[in-house]
Amino acid sequence: MQKRANYVRALGALFALWGTDYPAAYEGAQAAAVDGLAAPAPPSAAVRRRLEDEVLTLGALAATLPVESLYKPWASMSGGDGGGPAQFGAARNLLLGDSAQHMRALYDGLELEVPPAYEAMPDHVVLLTEVACLYAEAGNGEAVRALLADHLDWLSAYEEALATRLAALKARPLPVARHHDELTAALAHGRELTGALTRAIHNLSQSLR
């Protein structure tokens, strides 16, 4: 379980903002690969920069963040009159949803602090995969299973969001060809990373049955 969890953690870390240090993160993921799974090869520096600056950064041009709250509806907060709160409660694409609040409670129980960069998104995939690995290190397979089932079941929706963003970009190219090509490659690489992480999570989940 530990080796499989370490691989999940290493892939999750590829969604962090590494700057010029990103090759080491890919090397770590490739070294951690298990059971015939293969971590993605590192992209060019230009493509990785587009991924970090324009896809994985909140408010950026093609922002598509791997944050659980963005892909799940909030719980209904209706006061019983069918008014605004219920509509708000059914909304998607909002940070700090129910999953974020639950993760904050887990962090408190584990006596962990959310890094400042993730304060508005405590359910970011970087943190979720880290917690899964911490549970695995403690030998708590039940907690790992629960986390995978409850908090890492949205990756297909994230990959779909990246695909939608990519299709829109192809339908309406950016004025600067180089920028367009790099951003297109960055979104495609984001899908590749998500696919690899999804397979690693499935592998870990199967090992816990």
Side-chain angles (χ1 to χ4, degrees), residues 69-209:
S69 289
L70 297 176
Y71 306 97
K72 291 184 176 179
W74 287 38
S76 176
M77 296 183 288
S78 173
D81 58 359
Q87 295 173 5
F88 180 74
R92 293 176 185 266
N93 301 318
L94 296 170
L95 293 174
L96 295 175
D98 301 321
S99 58
Q101 304 309 321
H102 184 233
M103 287 307 302
R104 279 184 169 169
L106 287 182
Y107 299 141
D108 288 344
L110 294 169
E111 298 184 348
L112 297 174
E113 292 187 6
V114 177
Y118 298 98
E119 186 63 35
M121 39 191 173
D123 50 346
H124 193 288
V125 75
V126 170
L127 302 185
L128 298 180
T129 52
E130 177 67 24
V131 172
C133 203
L134 290 175
Y135 280 142
E137 288 171 350
N140 193 338
E142 182 177 350
V144 175
R145 283 194 299 271
L147 186 73
L148 297 183
D150 296 342
H151 288 285
L152 283 161
D153 58 342
W154 50 274
L155 289 175
S156 60
Y158 178 59
E159 186 172 2
E160 183 178 345
L162 289 167
T164 298
R165 183 78 73 178
L166 182 58
L169 183 61
K170 289 180 177 179
R172 190 174 182 178
L174 296 174
V176 180
R178 180 178 177 182
H179 185 182
H180 174 82
D181 291 346
E182 290 173 355
L183 184 54
T184 296
L187 287 164
H189 185 66
R191 293 188 66 194
E192 184 183 9
L193 292 179
T194 306
L197 179 57
T198 299
R199 290 188 291 274
I201 287 171
H202 177 73
N203 177 264
L204 175 58
S205 180
Q206 291 293 106
S207 74
L208 294 169
R209 291 185 178 180

Side-chain angles (χ1 to χ4, degrees), residues 36-62:
L37 298 174
S44 70
V47 169
R48 180 67 199 190
R49 185 168 60 250
R50 295 292 183 192
L51 180 68
E52 294 196 9
D53 294 349
E54 300 184 30
V55 180
L56 299 180
T57 295
L58 192 64
L61 174 66

